[in-house]
Amino acid sequence: MTIEHPTQSSSIVDVLETVLDKGVVIAGDIRVGLADVELLTIKIRLIVASVDKAKEIGMDWWETDPYLNSKAAEQNTKQLEDENKELQKRIEQLEKNANAGQSNRFV
Amino acid sequence: MSLYVYLYGVIPTPEDGDNPFSSHKGIDNEHELQMKNYGDISAVFCHVEEEEYGEEVLQEKTNQMDWVQEKAFHHHEILMNIRERTALIPMKFCTIYQSEANLDDMVHNHQDQMKALIERLDGKEEWNLKVYCDRDQLSKNVADHNLNIKEKKDEIAQMSKGRQYLESRKLDQYVQQEVEREQDAFGSALHEQLTAYSVEDTVKKNWNRDVTGKDEEMCWNSAYLVPLERVEDFLEIITNENEKHKSSGWILEATGPWPAYHFAKLT
């Protein structure tokens, strides 16, 4: 269990979630149209994460690394292939069932 | 160009009347923090330049993530600092007035309400709780321990291939429903224990992984206003529950004390 002081950088999500979204709302004179807090938090977290990581290894790999990109693509393809196989199986099975019950066909 | 007023919060007027925050720079990194006395309550603010904090400029700046991040953290740091010394009504990020006269009007219009709110918040701390869970582990636990699911699995094993596929899909869906129920039940039960120690509470939205950046799934998100003398007991519950359920894939995270962001409301 962690009891964190909320200013630690690890709780960036907590800070943004509350600071950007909560607190007393009394209309000031200036209308500030903040984007969706969820979206803002994601964007900022990604920036912080990549900056931290970049500092750690001393380069800006996150934008250009072809390995990471291709790996993501690979995963995607595999998922699609699997889904495709599953669907094929289902169709075959359905066709078999349909052939078995010829009298009920409306085609 | 005129000076605008960036308002951080409202506090009870310090007894000695001095501004304890004058050593801090304001949100523009230039103007110092000021305190303005309105009798029992005081406003903590800083001046900002119109050309930097006018409506159109701000519209642009709030689209720059590094600006939002820096300024939101500044806002929070200042409020944390104030909170350590005194009760506080925290304002929302970027509450700005075009002149001190406008600030005066706002405070005068809300003076009684603000005074009452400060009294209500005094001697209490805001604590936030987030519960995360390892969904795979929880799914496995549910599948292993739910008798309905076990029975159904045995049944499916006896079926034809085609039906097996469909029924397995249905069962998977059922398992996921049970997992969600389990998550909700876990959070609710914990929440109920905690509200015994708090005077106010609020249950918030669960953020998805894109937001949290964690592997585990957030399944409870709440905030509590806890009287100082009960904070220790309140946190002990969380520590104990965390120990007890760690091995089943639950992670309890308490953060605080926060400025009372969730409980400072004015109408």
Side-chain angles (χ1 to χ4, degrees), chain B residues 200-240:
Chain B
E200 268 186 77
D201 61 86
T202 177
V203 178
K204 307 198 293 170
K205 180 186 160 155
N206 291 325
W207 298 106
N208 66 31
R209 288 195 194 93
D210 293 337
V211 180
T212 64
K214 283 187 187 270
D215 293 335
E216 294 85 8
E217 187 171 73
M218 189 189 291
C219 50
W220 192 267
N221 186 11
S222 51
Y224 305 85
L225 189 64
V226 189
L228 279 173
E229 66 274 14
R230 294 199 213 150
V231 168
E232 211 174 303
D233 294 337
F234 175 89
L235 292 176
E236 200 177 304
I237 291 184
I238 300 178
T239 312
N240 291 344

Side-chain angles (χ1 to χ4, degrees), chain A:
Chain A
M1 156 74 191
T2 45
I3 297 177
E4 286 171 13
H5 194 263
T7 45
Q8 280 175 1
S9 60
S10 58
S11 51
I12 178 169
V13 174
D14 298 79
V15 172
L16 293 175
E17 173 200 13
T18 41
V19 174
L20 300 181
D21 202 27
K22 307 289 175 192
V24 167
V25 187
I26 295 182
D29 295 336
I30 305 296
R31 226 173 273 281
V32 185
L34 270 185
D36 179 57
V37 175
E38 190 165 352
L39 207 65
L40 270 179
T41 307
I42 293 175
K43 284 188 184 166
I44 292 174
R45 194 182 57 71
L46 286 178
I47 295 173
V48 172
S50 25
V51 171
D52 285 352
K53 194 76 199 166
K55 271 190 207 141
E56 213 174 274
I57 61 171
M59 59 187 286
D60 57 345
W61 55 269
W62 69 91
E63 273 172 345
T64 50
D65 191 322
Y67 172 71
L68 283 177
N69 289 336
S70 67
K71 204 177 170 198
E74 220 172 82
Q75 234 168 16
N76 216 351
T77 317
K78 174 124 181 33
Q79 211 176 357
L80 282 176
E81 271 173 10
D82 285 350
E83 209 172 293
N84 205 351
K85 263 187 219 157
E86 247 177 1
L87 284 171
Q88 288 283 4
K89 240 194 258 171
R90 279 181 75 184
I91 291 172
E92 272 170 36
Q93 197 60 47
L94 284 171
E95 273 173 355
K96 251 190 235 163
N97 291 350
N99 287 337
Q102 289 261 349
S103 55
N104 291 330
R105 286 172 75 194
F106 293 119
V107 186

